[in-house]
Amino acid sequence: MKLNNIVVFCGSSLGFNEVYKNIAVNLGSYFAKNNITLVYGGGKIGMMGAIASEIIEKKGEVVGVIPDLLKKEEVVHSNITKIIITKTMSERKVIMSKMIDGYITLPGGFGTLDELFEALTLQQLHIEQKPVGVLNVNGFFDATIKQLDFMVKEGFLKPENRALLLIDETIDGLMEKMKNYTAPEKTHVINKVVS
């Protein structure tokens, strides 16, 4: 699978542990080296700023998609390749979805998890067939993964839908899984989440 444009969901904070900023910088370096365009929220702060700045420094491509309500001088990254302003958060997600070949999620807060689960829902409903990955640095997503496994155990999530989320602790490992991803075969009728 070709991964030319990848959206990265991540926090507008750097967190308390330097490991989070480091993974954002390292992923940015990987993107620049492998000619992968970053599509992201357009910010210059937190994890978003760390990954975008690294790619820009290495002469890579960065596209920011930001809703008008968040377009403030102290938030928007002014040095990126292209900025797209949307009216709403929903429109932002649709535009991002149309531009990219896959999704990667780094540590973040409510917005990051919202974006991750929307991407997974789109895969589950066969609206999209793109790899969705989580870079589980420092065990950040361990509790989230445990919750998904519990949802399977309790009959609220099919094992094959749980398998839609690709997980790795390393950039190389996650990128390999994403490149080798094969989307489930589309059916004419969307199956219920639980059979």
Side-chain angles (χ1 to χ4, degrees):
M1 172 172 277
K2 281 250 183 193
L3 297 169
N4 298 319
N5 306 291
I6 296 178
V7 75
V8 175
F9 301 136
C10 57
S12 56
S13 169
L14 285 172
F16 298 134
N17 191 325
E18 190 73 15
V19 71
Y20 302 125
K21 179 183 179 184
N22 292 343
I23 200 69
V25 168
N26 292 340
L27 185 59
S29 185
Y30 181 98
F31 276 24
K33 182 180 175 186
N34 292 279
N35 297 312
I36 297 169
T37 297
L38 168 68
V39 178
Y40 84 123
K44 67 178 180 183
I45 55 175
M47 300 281 285
M48 289 194 290
I51 187 171
S53 294
E54 179 66 15
I55 295 171
I56 292 161
E57 191 177 306
K58 297 243 171 24
K59 310 294 186 223
E61 297 285 314
V62 178
V63 177
V65 186
I66 191 164
D68 194 52
L69 70 115
L70 295 178
K71 195 188 109 188
K72 296 178 174 61
E73 196 176 312
E74 65 273 14
V75 174
V76 177
H77 206 305
S78 57
N79 298 326
I80 60 178
T81 315
K82 182 178 181 183
I83 189 87
I84 298 168
I85 310 296
T86 66
K87 289 180 183 172
T88 64
M89 293 290 279
S90 298
E91 185 188 1
R92 170 203 224 178
K93 291 176 184 175
V94 171
I95 287 172
M96 284 178 158
S97 164
K98 288 178 178 175
M99 295 177 68
I100 54 102
D101 307 307
Y103 299 86
I104 291 178
T105 303
L106 297 178
F110 282 155
T112 302
L113 289 178
D114 168 61
E115 291 166 323
L116 168 63
F117 284 112
E118 181 159 337
L120 286 169
T121 302
L122 292 173
Q123 311 311 309
Q124 177 179 275
L125 297 175
H126 299 292
I127 294 167
E128 287 192 350
Q129 295 196 296
K130 300 169 184 174
V132 180
V134 162
L135 201 46
N136 192 25
V137 61
N138 197 37
F140 185 85
F141 291 101
D142 285 354
T144 306
I145 294 161
K146 188 175 178 182
Q147 177 63 44
L148 295 179
D149 292 337
F150 188 66
M151 288 159 74
V152 171
K153 180 178 175 234
E154 294 299 309
F156 287 94
L157 184 63
K158 284 184 173 181
E160 58 266 32
N161 290 333
R162 162 65 181 82
L164 292 171
L165 181 61
L166 308 175
I167 304 159
D168 208 286
E169 296 171 8
T170 68
I171 293 167
D172 287 335
L174 183 60
M175 291 304 298
E176 195 61 30
K177 288 176 182 176
M178 290 180 69
K179 286 175 191 169
N180 294 320
Y181 176 74
T182 303
E185 200 171 313
K186 281 190 180 184
T187 56
H188 293 292
V189 179
I190 296 172
N191 296 322
K192 289 181 183 175
V193 176
V194 178
S195 51

